[in-house]
C-alpha cells in the first residue's frame, strides 16, 4: 500500500502546478488559447469533425463543461460547431483555419513550458 501524500508535499505540488499553469496561460494567451483548450485542439488535430459527446469523452470532461469551452473557443475563432447531417440533434466540432494553424505553435509552447518546469 502506498503512503498518502504529506500535506506539505501536496501543497508544494499544487503550487508547482499553479505556476506551470500560469506560465502556460501567459504563453498561450497571445494566440487566443487558454490552458485546457490545448487538449481540445490536440484531439481535433488528430481527428477533426468529432461529435461533442465523443470529444468530451476523449478529452476526459463532462459534456456541459466541454460546451462552455467550445463556446469560448468558437468566439475566439478556433473552431466551429455544425449540425450533424445524420442526426440533427448532435453537433460536430471542426477546426477553423486559425485553429489548424495553431498546430504549428501550441505544441512547441507546451514542450517549452514542460522542459522549463522539469529542468
Amino acid at each position: 500500500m502506498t503512503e498518502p501524500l504529506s500535506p506539505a508535499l501536496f501543497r508544494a505540488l499544487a503550487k508547482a502546478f499553479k505556476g506551470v499553469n500560469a506560465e502556460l496561460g501567459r504563453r498561450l494567451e497571445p494566440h487566443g488559447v487558454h490552458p485546457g483548450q490545448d487538449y481540445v485542439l490536440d484531439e481535433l488535430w488528430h481527428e477533426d469533425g468529432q461529435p461533442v459527446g465523443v470529444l468530451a469523452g476523449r478529452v476526459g470532461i463532462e459534456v456541459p463543461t466541454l460546451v462552455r469551452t467550445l463556446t469560448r473557443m468558437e468566439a475566439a475563432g478556433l473552431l466551429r460547431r455544425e449540425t450533424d447531417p445524420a442526426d440533427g440533434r448532435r453537433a460536430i466540432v471542426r477546426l477553423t483555419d486559425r485553429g489548424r494553424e495553431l498546430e504549428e505553435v501550441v505544441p512547441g509552447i507546451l514542450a517549452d513550458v514542460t522542459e522549463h518546469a522539469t529542468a
Side-chain angles (χ1 to χ4, degrees):
M1 188 155 97
T2 60
E3 294 289 322
L5 290 178
S6 73
L9 179 57
F10 184 77
R11 282 191 299 276
L13 288 171
K15 186 176 181 180
F17 172 79
K18 287 180 182 180
V20 169
N21 204 47
E23 178 62 19
L24 183 59
R26 282 190 288 279
R27 299 281 303 278
L28 292 174
E29 191 271 332
H31 305 285
V33 179
H34 297 274
Q37 293 177 350
D38 52 293
Y39 294 104
V40 175
L41 290 169
D42 189 55
E43 282 298 327
L44 294 172
W45 292 328
H46 286 94
E47 184 181 339
D48 200 9
Q50 296 185 43
V52 172
V54 171
L55 185 57
R58 290 180 177 173
V59 174
I61 60 177
E62 298 295 325
V63 170
T65 303
L66 179 61
V67 168
R68 286 189 297 275
T69 299
L70 296 177
T71 299
R72 191 173 194 180
M73 293 176 76
E74 198 168 25
L78 304 176
L79 53 82
R80 66 183 182 280
R81 286 176 279 189
E82 303 172 349
T83 302
D84 185 342
D87 182 349
R89 298 169 294 170
R90 290 190 340 172
I92 302 294
V93 182
R94 297 193 189 282
L95 290 167
T96 61
D97 289 342
R98 184 162 181 264
R100 274 188 217 92
E101 289 168 1
L102 289 175
E103 189 174 9
E104 302 298 318
V105 177
V106 171
I109 292 171
L110 293 168
D112 190 51
V113 170
T114 300
E115 183 179 328
H116 185 290
T118 56

